[in-house]
C-alpha cells in the first residue's frame, strides 16, 4: 500500500466518524519552546490548554513534524527519522478512552478491501500506563485482546507530554509483531525492533509543570476537559504495509537513495558504512526540503543552524560516497515529486527552495575544501606529536572561521582515528556567546503560567474594533500585575489590562502595536505595548499616568491618530515593496519576515547575492509608480482554500484562522493574507525611499525603506548633506561625486606612500635588532619588546627580516608588540635552530601564559596574541629560559 493511500484511508476513516479534517500546519509555529513542530497535537495546543475555544469537537490531521535530538542516530538505526508525518485524531472534551481505542482498532484491523489497513489482530500488542486498569479493561472489551498481549510500562514509556510545561497524560501504545526473524519473544518490553510501535493514544487530562510526570512528578493540575490526542506514524505503517525492512526503503524515501546510487556508482545494501550515508542523505533531504519550504533558511542559530547541519550532512555524506558534484537540488527535486501530492506548496515554492539549497551547497563546498585542508593539517600535527585528541581551540577555529559544525569535525576526527576535546570547544563557544550582544528581537512573551489569562479568556475573546474606529467604549475585564490578577492599579504603576473590545492593534504580522491611551472618569493610562495571548486576547501593557483604575469600569480606549497614520503607511508600504520585489526579481523572491512601524519598513526575502544599484532603483521606482497610480486597497474575508485559489500570498511562520483576511492593493497586483491596518488607497502611503539592502543569512536578503513624511525627511537630509559637501568643495552639486572620487584617490596614494615609508623605517631597524641578539648556549636569541601600536602583520614581516639578518647562525627571534590592552607576538627560527629542536610553534606555550595569550604555527614561524601587555617582560625572560632548557636537554 502506497503512502499516499495510507494517508487517504486514515483521513476518510476519521472524517466518516465525524472528525473535521485540519490541514497540516507549518513546521514553524509561534511557540518559544519549540524550534519545529514535533508532534501532531502541537497546532491544537491552545485548545487542550483551554487558552482558546476549539472550533470543532473532533478533528483529524496529517501533520508534518521534525525532531532532531537523535540526528546522530539517523541512518545507524532503521527507526530514526528527522522528518516524519504524524496522522492523528483529536477529541476536545468529546469522546475519551473507549472511543479512541475503538476507532484505532477498527482502522488497523479492518480488511484492506473495506478501507482499513488489514493488520492481523493476532499480531497486535498494546502497552498501558502502570496503573491504568481502565485502559486494560477497554482493550479487552473493544478488541478482545488477551492479558498476555497487554503490558504495563512506567512513565518514561507510557506517559506523554511535550517535554515542556503544557498538556499531557497517560497513554496506550499499539505495537505490531514483525515476527521471530526480527527479535526475541516477549512483547514490546523485551524488543522494540521486533515489536514496532505504530500508534500512540494519549488520554490527555493533565497539565504538567516544570517537572514531568514521565519521571514520577505529579501534574500541577487537570486540563479544563478530558481530551484525546493520538499519533500514528505514517512512515512506520508504510514500511510494514509495503513489506520492506525499514522506513528508508518506503516509496517516498527510496527514490533519493536510488539517485544517490546512480550518482555514486555504489549500491545500497552492500556496505554497512555506505548504507548509513545513503540513509542520511535520504532522510535529511526530506527534512531539509520541508523546512526550507516552510520559510527557514540556513544560518548559525536556532532553526537555521539545524537546517544548515542537515544540509551539510547530506553534502558530506555524498562526498564520502564518491559524489563530487552538487547534489542538493537534484535530491530536492525527488522529494518534491514524492511529497508534492500531500504538500502542494513544495511544488509552487520549488524555485525558491532550489535557490536556497544551491546557495548553501555552493557556500559549503567552498567551506569544506578550506576546512578539510585546515583539519588535515591539524590532525597531522596531533598525530606527529603522538596525541589522539584534537584540541578544543582547533575545533573552535574550524567552527568560527570555516563554518564547520562541531558534529562534522567529530565525524572527520573519528574517520582519522582521533577524538575531539569537546569540553574545550564548548567552553570557547560559551565565551563567544557571552561576548555577543543579546538579540534585540527576542520574544516578548513565552509559554509560562498563563492561568490568569485563561480565566480572562473564559469571559470571551477581545473584540478588535481598530479596522473601523480609533476610539472604542469598553469594559475593563481584568488587571494583571507580575503574572497575578489584581483588582485595581494606581498612578505610577505599570500593569497589564484586558478589555472586552479595543481599537488598539496588537503586535503581529511584523507590525508594531499601536500607541494610545485608555481613559476612565478618574484615570488616564498610557498604552506602552499590546500583545495577543492565545490569538484571542488583547493584553495592553499600560502605565497609569493619573488616578486609579479598577476592574469592571467603563473606559474609552483611544489610538494615537498620528501613530496610526504612520503605521498604516508602513504596513501598506511593506505590501507594495513586496509586490515590486516579486515583479522585478520574480515570484521566488518571497517575503520571509518583516517589521514595520510608522514611517519605516524592513522586509526579509529569499534571494542569493546582493542586489545591484540599478535593481534597487528599479524596485524603488516600481513601488512609487504603484503609489502614484492611487491603487484601491480592499479587504476580503474568506477561507484558506479560496484564498489560495485567488493567489493570495501566505507568509512563512504565520498561523491563520479558518477565516482569513486577504488584503488587496490594486486587485491581483498585491494580494496577501494579512491582519494589519492599511491605507485606503496606495497614494496615502506617500513616497517610498529604499535606504539599504544587506544579507541576514545564507539565501536571505533584507531591504529597508522609509515611507511617508519620514521618506521626505530622509531625502531632505540627503539633499542638505550634498549641498554642504558641495559648498566645502566649491563645486556645483552635480560635480560632487567626481570631486570626492578624485580626493579619495589622492588620499589613497598618500596613504600608500606613508605605508611605504613606515615599512622602510621598520625594516631598517632589523639590523640593529639582530645586533642585540643574546647568546644562549650558542643560540642567538632576539627577544624584544617593540614600540606601541605596530600592527601584527608588520611584526611578522620584521621578525622574518631579523631572522634573515642572523644568516647561518642558530637563531630564535621573538617580538612582542603592545597595543592598548592587547599584545601580538611572533616567533621565528632559523634552519640551524630548528636542527637543534627549537621549533617556533613549540616555543609559544612556554611564554604565552605570561601575556594571557595563545597562539601557534609551524616550526619556522608562529604567532599569536594576548590580553596582558604587562607580562611582556616576563614573556621575554621565558623565551630565553625555554631556549636554554631545550638546548641543555639535547
Amino acid at each position: 500500500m502506497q503512502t499516499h493511500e495510507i494517508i487517504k484511508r486514515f483521513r476518510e476513516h476519521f472524517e466518516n466518524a465525524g472528525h473535521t479534517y485540519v490541514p497540516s500546519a507549518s513546521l514553524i509555529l509561534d511557540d518559544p519552546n519549540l524550534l519545529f513542530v514535533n508532534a501532531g497535537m502541537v497546532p491544537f495546543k491552545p485548545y487542550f490548554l483551554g487558552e482558546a475555544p476549539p472550533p470543532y469537537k473532533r478533528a483529524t490531521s496529517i501533520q508534518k513534524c521534525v525532531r532532531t535530538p537523535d540526528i546522530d542516530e539517523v541512518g545507524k538505526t532503521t527507526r530514526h527519522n528527522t522528518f516524519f508525518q504524524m496522522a492523528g485524531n483529536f477529541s476536545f472534551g468529546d469522546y475519551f478512552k473507549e472511543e479512541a481505542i475503538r476507532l484505532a482498532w477498527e482502522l488497523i484491523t479492518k480488511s484492506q478491501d473495506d478501507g482499513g489497513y488489514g493488520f492481523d489482530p493476532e499480531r497486535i500488542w498494546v502497552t498501558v500506563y502502570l496503573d491504568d486498569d481502565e485502559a486494560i479493561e477497554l482493550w479487552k472489551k473493544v478488541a478482545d485482546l488477551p492479558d498476555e498481549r497487554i503490558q504495563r510500562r512506567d512513565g518514561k514509556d507510557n506517559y506523554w507530554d511535550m517535554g515542556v510545561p503544557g498538556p499531557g497524560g497517560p497513554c496506550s501504545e499499539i505495537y505490531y509483531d514483525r515476527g521471530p526473524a526480527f527479535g526475541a519473544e516477549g512483547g514490546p518490553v523485551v524488543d522494540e525492533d521486533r515489536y514496532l510501535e505504530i500508534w500512540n493514544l494519549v488520554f490527555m487530562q493533565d497539565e504538567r509543570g516544570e517537572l514531568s510526570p514521565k519521571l514520577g512528578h505529579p501534574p500541577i493540575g487537570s486540563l479544563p476537559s478530558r481530551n484525546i490526542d493520538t499519533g500514528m506514524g505514517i512512515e512506520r505503517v508504510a514500511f510494514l504495509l509495503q513489506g520492506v525492512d525499514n522506513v528508508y526503503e518506503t516509496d517516498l524515501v527510496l527514490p533519493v537513495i536510488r539517485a544517490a546510487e546512480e550518482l555514486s556508482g555504489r549500491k545500497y545494501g552492500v556496505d554497512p558504512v555506505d548504507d548509513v550515508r545513503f540513509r542520511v542523505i535520504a532522510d535529511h533531504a526530506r527534512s531539509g526540503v520541508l523546512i526550507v519550504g516552510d520559510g527557514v533558511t540556513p544560518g548559525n542559530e536556532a532553526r537555521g543552524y539545524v537546517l544548515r547541519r542537515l544540509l551539510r550532512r547530506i553534502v558530506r555524506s555524498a562526498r564520502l560516497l564518491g559524489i563530487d558534484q552538487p547534489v542538493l537540488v537534484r535530491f530536492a527535486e525527488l522529494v518534491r515529486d514524492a511529497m508534492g501530492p500531500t504538500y502542494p506548496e513544495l511544488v509552487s515554492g520549488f524555485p525558491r527552495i532550489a535557490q536556497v539549497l544551491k546557495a548553501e551547497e555552493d557556500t559549503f563546498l567552498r567551506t569544506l575544501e578550506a576546512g578539510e585542508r585546515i583539519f588535515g593539517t591539524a590532525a597531522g600535527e596531533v598525530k606527529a606529536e603522538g596525541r589522539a585528541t584534537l584540541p578544543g581551540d582547533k575545533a573552535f577555529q574550524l567552527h568560527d572561521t570555516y563554518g564547520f559544525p562541531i558534529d562534522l569535525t567529530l565525524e572527520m576526527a573519528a574517520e582519522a582515528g582521533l577524538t575531539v576535546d569537546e569540553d574545550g570547544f564548548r567552553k570557547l563557544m560559551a565565551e563567544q556567546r557571552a561576548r555577543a550582544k543579546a538579540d534585540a528581537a527576542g520574544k516578548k512573551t513565552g509559554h509560562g503560567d498563563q492561568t490568569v489569562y485563561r480565566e480572562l479568556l473564559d469571559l470571551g475573546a477581545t473584540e478588535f474594533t481598530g479596522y473601523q474606529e480609533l476610539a472604542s467604549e469598553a469594559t475593563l475585564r481584568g488587571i494583571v500585575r507580575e503574572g497575578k490578577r489584581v483588582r485595581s492599579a494606581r498612578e505610577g504603576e505599570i500593569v497589564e489590562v484586558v478589555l472586552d473590545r479595543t481599537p488598539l492593534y496588537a503586535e503581529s504580522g511584523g507590525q508594531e502595536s499601536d500607541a494610545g491611551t485608555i481613559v476612565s472618569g478618574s484615570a488616564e493610562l498610557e498604552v506602552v505595548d499590546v500583545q495577543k495571548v492565545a490569538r484571542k486576547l488583547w493584553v495592553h501593557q499600560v502605565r497609569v499616568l493619573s488616578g486609579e483604575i479598577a476592574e469592571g469600569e467603563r473606559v474609552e480606549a483611544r489610538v494615537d491618530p498620528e501613530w496610526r497614520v504612520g503605521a498604516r503607511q508602513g504596513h501598506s508600504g511593506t505590501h507594495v515593496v513586496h509586490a515590486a520585489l516579486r515583479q522585478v526579481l520574480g515570484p521566488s523572491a518571497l517575503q520571509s519576515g518583516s517589521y514595520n512601524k510608522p514611517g519605516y519598513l524592513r522586509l526579509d526575502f529569499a534571494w542569493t547575492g546582493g542586489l545591484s544599484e540599478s535593481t534597487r532603483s528599479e524596485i524603488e521606482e516600481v513601488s512609487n509608480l504603484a503609489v502614484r497610480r492611487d491603487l484601491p486597497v480592499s479587504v476580503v474575508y474568506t477561507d484558506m482554500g479560496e484564498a489560495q485559489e485567488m493567489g493570495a500570498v501566505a507568509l512563512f511562520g504565520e498561523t491563520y484562522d479558518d477565516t482569513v483576511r486577504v488584503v488587496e492593493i490594486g486587485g491581483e497586483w498585491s494580494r496577501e493574507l494579512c491582519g494589519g491596518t492599511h491605507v485606503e488607497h496606495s497614494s496615502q502611503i506617500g513616497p517610498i525611499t529604499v535606504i539599504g539592502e544587506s544579507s541576514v543569512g545564507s539565501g536571505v536578503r533584507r531591504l529597508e525603506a522609509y515611507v511617508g513624511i519620514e521618506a521626505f525627511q530622509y531625502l531632505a537630509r540627503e539633499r542638505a548633506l550634498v549641498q554642504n559637501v558641495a559648498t566645502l568643495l566649491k563645486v556645483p552639486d552635480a560635480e560632487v561625486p567626481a570631486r570626492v572620487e578624485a580626493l579619495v584617490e589622492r588620499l589613497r596614494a598618500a596613504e600608500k606612500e606613508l605605508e611605504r615609508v613606515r615599512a622602510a623605517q621598520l625594516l631598517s631597524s632589523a639590523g640593529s635588532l639582530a645586533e642585540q641578539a643574546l647568546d644562549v648556549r650558542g643560540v642567538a636569541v632576539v627577544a624584544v619588546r617593540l614600540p606601541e601600536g605596530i600592527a601584527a602583520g608588520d611584526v611578522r614581516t620584521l621578525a622574518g627580516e631579523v631572522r634573515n639578518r642572523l644568516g647561518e647562525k642558530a637563531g630564535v627571534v621573538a617580538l612582542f608588540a603592545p597595543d592598548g590592552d592587547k599584545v601580538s607576538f611572533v616567533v621565528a627560527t632559523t634552519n640551524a635552530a630548528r636542527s637543534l629542536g627549537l621549533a617556533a610553534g613549540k616555543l609559544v606555550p612556554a611564554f604565552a601564559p605570561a601575556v594571557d595569550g595563545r597562539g601557534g604555527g609551524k616550526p619556522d614561524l608562529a604567532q599569536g596574541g594576548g590580553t596582558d601587555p604587562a607580562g611582556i617582560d616576563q614573556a621575554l625572560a621565558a623565551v630565553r629560559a625555554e631556549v636554554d632548557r631545550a638546548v641543555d636537554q639535547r
Side-chain angles (χ1 to χ4, degrees):
M1 187 182 295
Q2 298 297 289
T3 300
H4 294 307
E5 179 64 21
I6 294 170
I7 291 172
K8 177 175 176 286
R9 293 186 180 212
F10 188 96
R11 175 176 173 175
E12 290 178 348
H13 176 73
F14 284 100
E15 283 187 309
N16 290 337
H19 293 67
T20 299
Y21 176 70
V22 180
S24 174
S26 167
L27 285 167
I28 316 303
L29 291 184
D30 185 18
D31 188 328
N33 293 312
L34 297 173
L35 286 179
F36 302 104
V37 169
N38 62 358
M41 60 74 61
V42 172
F44 304 105
K45 182 179 173 184
Y47 309 146
F48 288 126
L49 282 172
E51 294 175 349
Y56 23 67
K57 285 291 188 180
R58 301 180 174 198
T60 185
S61 70
I62 312 295
Q63 175 64 44
K64 48 190 175 184
C65 303
V66 167
R67 293 181 189 170
T68 56
D70 297 327
I71 189 172
D72 294 319
E73 297 303 313
V74 170
K76 297 177 184 177
T77 76
T78 58
R79 293 186 292 112
H80 285 90
N81 286 120
T82 51
F83 172 83
F84 57 96
Q85 300 172 91
M86 187 64 75
N89 58 286
F90 308 92
S91 164
F92 309 105
D94 188 7
Y95 62 85
F96 201 48
K97 291 183 183 180
E98 181 170 357
E99 182 78 348
I101 290 172
R102 183 184 64 79
L103 288 167
W105 183 256
E106 286 179 356
L107 179 59
I108 61 177
T109 61
K110 188 165 52 177
S111 74
Q112 293 188 9
D113 289 341
D114 291 332
Y117 294 144
F119 284 110
D120 182 356
E122 300 302 317
R123 300 175 71 173
I124 301 296
W125 291 63
V126 300
T127 61
V128 299
Y129 188 53
L130 278 176
D131 59 1
D132 196 350
D133 296 331
E134 180 187 9
I136 292 177
E137 293 306 314
L138 287 172
W139 276 112
K140 293 178 181 179
K141 172 185 174 182
V142 173
D144 199 26
L145 278 181
D147 287 329
E148 60 268 22
R149 284 195 276 132
I150 304 174
Q151 297 183 322
R152 298 178 188 264
R153 304 188 81 168
D154 64 15
K156 292 181 180 179
D157 291 295
N158 275 69
Y159 191 95
W160 190 92
D161 60 42
M162 294 177 59
V164 294
C171 58
S172 181
E173 296 175 333
I174 303 174
Y175 291 78
Y176 181 74
D177 180 5
R178 301 168 67 195
F182 294 94
E185 297 277 355
V189 297
V190 174
D191 191 330
E192 288 197 3
D193 280 324
R194 170 175 171 174
Y195 301 90
L196 188 75
E197 179 194 344
I198 58 174
W199 207 334
N200 187 11
L201 312 180
V202 181
F203 309 129
M204 194 175 291
Q205 58 195 38
D206 303 325
E207 183 172 358
R208 65 152 277 186
E210 292 297 330
L211 302 176
S212 174
K214 291 171 72 74
L215 303 177
H217 302 284
I220 61 173
S222 297
L223 295 176
S225 60
R226 299 194 306 174
N227 312 297
I228 287 296
D229 157 33
T230 82
M232 187 191 82
I234 293 291
E235 282 74 15
R236 292 191 178 187
V237 171
F239 93 68
L240 290 173
L241 293 181
Q242 291 174 19
V244 296
D245 286 339
N246 56 67
V247 295
Y248 303 102
E249 297 168 16
T250 56
D251 59 319
L252 299 188
V253 184
L254 189 60
V256 176
I257 290 180
R258 293 291 180 244
E261 286 181 316
E262 181 182 338
L263 292 171
S264 67
R266 303 187 192 183
K267 286 294 181 183
Y268 177 68
V270 175
D271 181 343
V273 175
D274 279 353
D275 285 354
V276 171
R277 294 164 182 161
F278 280 120
R279 292 169 183 163
V280 166
I281 290 171
D283 172 86
H284 291 5
R286 281 215 309 172
S287 301
V289 169
L290 269 295
I291 292 171
V292 174
D294 277 352
V296 181
T297 54
N300 292 326
E301 294 182 354
R303 299 182 181 108
Y305 176 76
V306 173
L307 173 59
R308 171 162 285 169
R309 185 179 177 192
L310 291 169
L311 298 181
R312 293 187 170 190
R313 280 169 62 93
I314 296 172
V315 177
R316 171 73 175 153
S317 296
R319 284 173 66 94
L320 292 173
L321 287 172
I323 304 172
D324 58 2
Q325 59 184 283
V327 295
L328 288 185
V329 175
R330 171 75 177 109
F331 294 149
E333 290 170 343
L334 297 170
V335 173
R336 173 201 61 196
D337 295 344
M339 306 297 292
T342 303
Y343 307 107
E345 64 270 18
L346 297 182
V347 179
S348 60
F350 192 75
R352 182 191 60 84
I353 294 170
Q355 189 176 65
V356 171
L357 296 181
K358 183 180 184 302
E360 178 63 14
E361 185 163 23
D362 290 345
T363 299
F364 184 53
L365 287 175
R366 292 192 296 269
T367 293
L368 198 60
E369 183 177 348
E372 284 180 334
R373 196 164 53 244
I374 298 299
F375 176 84
T377 300
E381 290 177 358
V382 169
K383 290 181 176 180
E385 294 170 1
R387 294 182 288 123
T389 301
L390 187 75
D393 60 345
K394 289 294 184 184
F396 179 76
Q397 181 190 18
L398 283 165
H399 168 86
D400 197 45
T401 306
Y402 298 98
F404 264 45
I406 182 61
D407 67 293
L408 182 53
T409 301
L410 291 169
E411 287 181 10
M412 293 171 63
E415 291 163 7
L418 299 173
T419 59
V420 177
D421 176 14
E422 291 186 67
D423 290 340
F425 167 80
R426 300 194 189 286
K427 180 181 177 182
L428 292 171
M429 283 293 293
E431 292 174 358
Q432 184 188 62
R433 291 191 188 100
R435 291 191 298 267
K437 293 181 180 180
D439 182 3
K443 296 283 185 183
K444 293 188 178 182
T445 59
H447 284 289
D449 182 6
Q450 296 194 344
T451 305
V452 63
Y453 301 121
R454 192 181 308 159
E455 293 172 358
L456 293 168
L457 191 58
D458 287 342
L459 300 176
T462 302
E463 177 190 356
F464 177 61
T465 62
Y467 296 138
Q468 298 84 31
E469 57 190 22
L470 297 181
S472 299
E473 296 288 334
T475 298
L476 199 161
R477 281 182 171 169
I479 303 173
V480 178
R481 184 195 299 119
E482 297 178 353
K484 298 186 182 301
R485 196 166 170 185
V486 296
R487 296 293 304 168
S488 62
R490 297 180 178 178
E491 183 176 333
E493 290 186 306
I494 296 178
V495 295
E496 294 174 341
V497 300
V498 175
L499 311 178
D500 64 337
R501 57 201 307 268
T502 180
L504 289 143
Y505 185 81
E507 180 183 355
S508 61
Q511 180 177 333
E512 266 199 7
S513 61
D514 277 333
T517 56
I518 298 173
V519 297
S520 69
S522 60
E524 181 179 4
L525 289 62
E526 176 191 5
V527 178
V528 178
D529 186 27
V530 189
Q531 295 290 321
K532 290 182 189 178
V533 172
R535 298 170 57 203
K536 300 290 184 182
L537 206 65
W538 267 241
V539 177
H540 309 71
Q541 186 182 62
V542 300
R543 178 183 293 106
V544 182
L545 298 179
S546 62
E548 181 176 359
I549 196 79
E551 278 192 3
E553 284 193 39
R554 292 293 292 172
V555 298
E556 184 177 54
R558 304 168 180 168
V559 178
D560 180 336
E562 286 299 315
W563 178 279
R564 177 62 72 82
V565 167
R568 294 167 71 200
Q569 289 176 318
H571 205 151
S572 296
T574 304
H575 284 222
V576 166
V577 172
H578 187 203
L581 194 69
R582 287 162 57 78
Q583 181 174 318
V584 174
L585 300 181
S588 63
L590 272 175
Q591 178 180 326
S592 58
S594 69
Y595 169 73
N596 55 79
K597 63 180 181 179
Y600 170 84
L601 67 88
R602 184 181 75 208
L603 187 149
D604 296 343
F605 60 99
W607 198 252
T608 56
L611 304 184
S612 66
E613 185 62 36
S614 62
T615 300
R616 283 176 48 182
S617 296
E618 186 178 359
I619 293 168
E620 186 176 71
E621 182 177 355
V622 171
S623 299
N624 282 292
L625 285 173
V627 171
R628 190 178 73 175
R629 288 168 59 197
D630 194 28
L631 300 173
V633 179
S634 59
V635 173
V636 177
Y637 290 90
T638 184
D639 59 47
M640 179 60 83
E642 185 176 341
Q644 291 174 332
E645 289 179 7
M646 294 168 60
V649 177
L651 302 184
F652 298 121
E654 291 290 325
T655 303
Y656 299 100
D657 294 322
D658 294 332
T659 299
V660 295
R661 183 173 185 260
V662 180
V663 176
E664 298 180 332
I665 301 178
E668 65 181 2
W669 188 80
S670 171
R671 186 174 282 150
E672 298 188 21
L673 301 184
C674 181
T677 58
H678 289 275
V679 299
E680 295 170 355
H681 291 83
S682 61
S683 61
Q684 295 172 338
I685 296 171
I688 298 173
T689 301
V690 175
I691 60 171
E693 186 265 337
S694 58
S695 170
V696 289
S698 178
V700 180
R701 307 295 298 180
R702 171 170 291 172
L703 204 64
E704 297 178 89
Y706 286 132
V707 298
I709 191 65
E710 283 77 5
F712 272 122
Q713 292 169 345
Y714 172 79
L715 292 173
R717 289 193 300 270
E718 293 288 293
R719 181 181 61 190
L721 177 63
V722 171
Q723 289 176 341
N724 287 338
V725 174
T727 300
L728 289 172
L729 296 177
K730 299 179 180 179
V731 297
D733 292 1
E735 295 181 17
V736 166
R739 179 59 64 89
V740 170
E741 184 178 359
L743 287 173
V744 169
E745 287 301 318
R746 288 173 58 186
L747 181 61
R748 285 175 179 163
E751 288 176 343
K752 287 182 180 179
E753 179 60 21
L754 286 172
E755 178 66 20
R756 187 189 64 76
V757 172
R758 189 184 58 76
Q761 291 176 337
L762 185 64
L763 293 177
S764 68
S765 67
S768 61
L769 290 175
E771 292 174 0
Q772 298 174 27
L774 295 177
D775 184 277
V776 178
R777 293 187 180 271
V779 177
V781 178
V782 180
V784 177
R785 177 192 187 114
L786 298 176
E788 182 89 16
I790 298 178
D794 292 335
V795 178
R796 181 185 178 116
T797 300
L798 181 58
E801 184 63 22
V802 175
R803 178 179 58 188
N804 293 340
R805 297 296 181 96
L806 294 178
E808 301 299 321
K809 298 178 184 177
V812 172
V813 180
L815 304 183
F816 295 78
D819 186 6
D821 58 355
K822 298 180 180 179
V823 57
S824 58
F825 56 78
V826 176
V827 183
T829 59
T830 64
N831 288 332
R834 291 194 292 277
S835 68
L836 296 175
L838 295 170
K842 292 184 178 179
L843 290 172
V844 171
F847 65 78
V851 292
D852 193 20
R854 62 172 182 264
K858 299 179 180 179
D860 62 324
L861 189 72
Q863 61 186 30
T867 57
D868 185 12
I872 290 178
D873 289 342
Q874 182 182 345
L876 296 174
V879 172
R880 293 187 284 267
E882 179 61 16
V883 171
D884 182 84
R885 185 197 65 77
V887 175
D888 183 55
Q889 289 186 350
R890 282 186 62 82

